[in-house]
């Protein structure tokens, strides 16, 4: 493929040996060959296009870097699929003020997911307190407590399953509006629940909203933001989840001494859900989704292209139907059409379980499974309870220490973002999982014979959270986004999401009954043993993908 290119000042031009090419074109800069490499962090992918360009007497290597988000793919992504972006050499001009609202309102869906994790930690203490619950049904069995804590996760699992078949019909905007409504209903019903059954219904509805939001938010952000900042915004969306956890811990700390404080903890999501819903209502549909509907033959092509142009103009704060939006929509239509046609020829569902795809599923699925069964959801959801039994007998003390853990989690998230491309995936995974195992053994030792040293429990929790945030937390999903071949990536990632939510719900539900049956010291010993198995899995099975393109991962790792 040859076409003329202009070399601008921001490109990196390096001369190569003349002997590498014979008879270079004497008149014009021609693209002789072009190949791509991608270096991906846990939240940001820089796609580097390297082209060999010839002019009289010399051959130049031209490099151009483009950002592509990984949380929901690139220019075209659907139903949880991560795809490579199709970008032009000319980057889109934009103002930061025009991209803030299309990012903030979808990201609130992630914040509300994180908030539920943090708030539940304090709410379980309030719910079970005879003096503070404000109810006559505070005496929960371990199974009932497990259902309260994991109810939202079962809802999220159902939501992620149900949305797969209707995502194209709903579109990202309507999907997020429905998620906001479910968040609102879940918060209100849970906060006003007159008995345990109604409380569980509220938890399930809230979780259903989580399932929709976790699917729709990254897609809307990826499809509406300029390509050069997509990775940055996707990473900030993930950060919103951590901020939500910290917010939940903080609200729990303030409301823990209030009678019926759990109602305020769960009800606090109401105004945020209203803001999210109104915000999404004010935003246009994703231009990419509108073009996808046109490609799918759901309406007249010209009508959908005009809607996409108006949507993009509104998103960028430009006059309706401006020339820049028209050109971008025309380019996007071609990339959407190509990607859709490639997807249609992607084979059958069972292909995920065959050959290199099975190897990818083993690596990706194994990581997200071990991410959960090493106790991660239990440590976060039950942080307040763990701290109470570890010496901080007052609920207020336990929730305040939980806030410290939330701040530490936020800081370690930044460490992971900064270092994953420098150090690589395997070193962070091996070091982090080793720390997770050590922290779990420390928690077991505290309950067994170090009961007089409550700081051991606090230190172990901080060690666990810190090591998780530099290993399983971000890198599992990074590996999932990289490891699947393009042909089966959408289906592979969908299976990984289901495995994540399913194992998360099971571990969270089982924690309280297992703690009652085995005792805390033996339960954390069990989690520590699983962590050692996961460390062995990382060492023996998980490859290093740092610096490899997606094509190289498939050829050098999966097809060995």
């Amino acid at each position: 493929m040859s076409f003329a290119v202009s070399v601008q000042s921001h490109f990196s031009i390096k001369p190569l040996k003349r002997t590498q090419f014979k008879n270079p074109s004497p008149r014009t800069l021609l693209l002789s060959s072009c190949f791509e490499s991608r270096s991906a962090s846990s939240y940001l992918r820089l796609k580097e296009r390297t082209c060999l360009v010839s002019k009289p007497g010399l051959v130049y290597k031209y490099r151009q870097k483009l950002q592509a988000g990984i949380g929901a793919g690139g220019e075209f992504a659907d139903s949880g699929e991560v795809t490579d972006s199709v970008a032009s050499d000319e980057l889109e001009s934009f103002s930061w003020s025009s991209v803030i609202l299309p990012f903030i309102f979808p990201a609130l869906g992630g914040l509300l997911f994180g908030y539920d994790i943090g708030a539940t930690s304090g709410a379980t203490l309030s719910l079970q307190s005879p003096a503070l619950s404000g109810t006559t049904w505070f005496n929960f069995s371990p199974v009932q407590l497990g259902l309260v804590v994991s109810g939202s996760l079962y809802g999220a699992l159902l939501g992620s399953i149900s949305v797969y078949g209707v995502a194209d019909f709903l579109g990202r905007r309507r999907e997020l509006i429905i998620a906001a409504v479910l968040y609102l209903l879940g918060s209100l019903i849970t906060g006003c629940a007159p008995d345990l059954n109604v409380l569980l219904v509220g938890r399930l509805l809230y979780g259903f909203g989580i399932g929709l939001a976790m699917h729709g938010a990254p897609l809307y952000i990826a499809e509406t933001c300029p390509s050069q900042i997509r990775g940055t915004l996707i990473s900030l969306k993930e950060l919103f989840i951590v901020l939500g956890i910290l917010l939940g811990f903080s609200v729990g700390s303030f409301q823990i001494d209030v009678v019926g404080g759990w109602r305020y903890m769960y009800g606090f999501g109401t105004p945020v859900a209203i803001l999210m819903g109104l915000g999404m209502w004010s935003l246009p549909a994703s231009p990419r989704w509108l073009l996808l509907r046109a490609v799918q033959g759901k309406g007249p092509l010209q009508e959908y292209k005009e809607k996409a142009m108006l949507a993009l103009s509104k998103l960028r704060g430009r006059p309706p139907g401006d020339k820049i939006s028209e050109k971008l929509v025309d380019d996007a239509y071609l990339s959407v059409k190509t990607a859709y046609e490639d997807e249609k020829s992607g084979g059958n569902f069972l292909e995920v379980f065959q050959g290199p795809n099975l190897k990818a599923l083993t690596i990706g699925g194994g990581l997200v499974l071990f991410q959960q069964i090493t106790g991660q959801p239990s440590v976060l959801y039950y942080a307040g309870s763990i701290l109470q039994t570890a010496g901080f007998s007052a609920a207020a003390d336990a929730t305040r220490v939980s806030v410290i853990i939330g701040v530490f989690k936020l800081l370690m998230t930044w460490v992971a973002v900064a270092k994953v491309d420098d150090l690589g995936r395997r070193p962070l995974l091996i070091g982090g999982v080793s720390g997770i195992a050590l922290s779990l053994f420390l928690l077991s030792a505290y309950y067994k014979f170090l009961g007089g040293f409550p700081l051991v429990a606090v230190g172990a929790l901080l060690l666990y959270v810190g090591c998780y945030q530099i290993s399983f937390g971000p890198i599992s999903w990074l590996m999932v986004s990289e490891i699947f071949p393009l042909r089966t990536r959408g289906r592979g990632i969908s299976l990984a999401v289901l495995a994540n939510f399913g194992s998360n719900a099971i571990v969270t539900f089982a924690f309280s009954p297992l703690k009652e049956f085995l005792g805390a010291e033996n339960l954390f010993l069990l989690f520590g043993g699983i962590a050692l198995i996961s460390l062995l899995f990382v060492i023996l099975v998980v490859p290093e993908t740092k610096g490899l393109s997606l094509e190289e991962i498939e050829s050098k790792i999966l097809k060995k």
Side-chain angles (χ1 to χ4, degrees), residues 487-516:
R487 182 179 176 89
T488 58
R489 196 175 303 157
R491 282 161 283 164
I493 291 173
S494 295
L495 288 174
V497 169
L498 291 178
N500 179 263
F501 274 128
S503 56
N504 191 331
I506 292 170
V507 171
T508 305
F509 169 76
F511 181 83
S512 187
L514 283 175
K515 185 180 174 185
E516 185 80 11

Side-chain angles (χ1 to χ4, degrees), residues 116 151-152 182-191 193 196-209:
D116 181 69
S152 62
L182 290 168
Y183 275 140
L184 175 62
L185 291 175
S187 297
L188 287 174
I189 292 173
T190 306
L196 179 60
N197 292 330
V198 176
L199 177 69
L200 293 177
V201 170
R203 299 287 291 142
L204 197 68
L205 283 174
Y206 192 98
F208 212 94

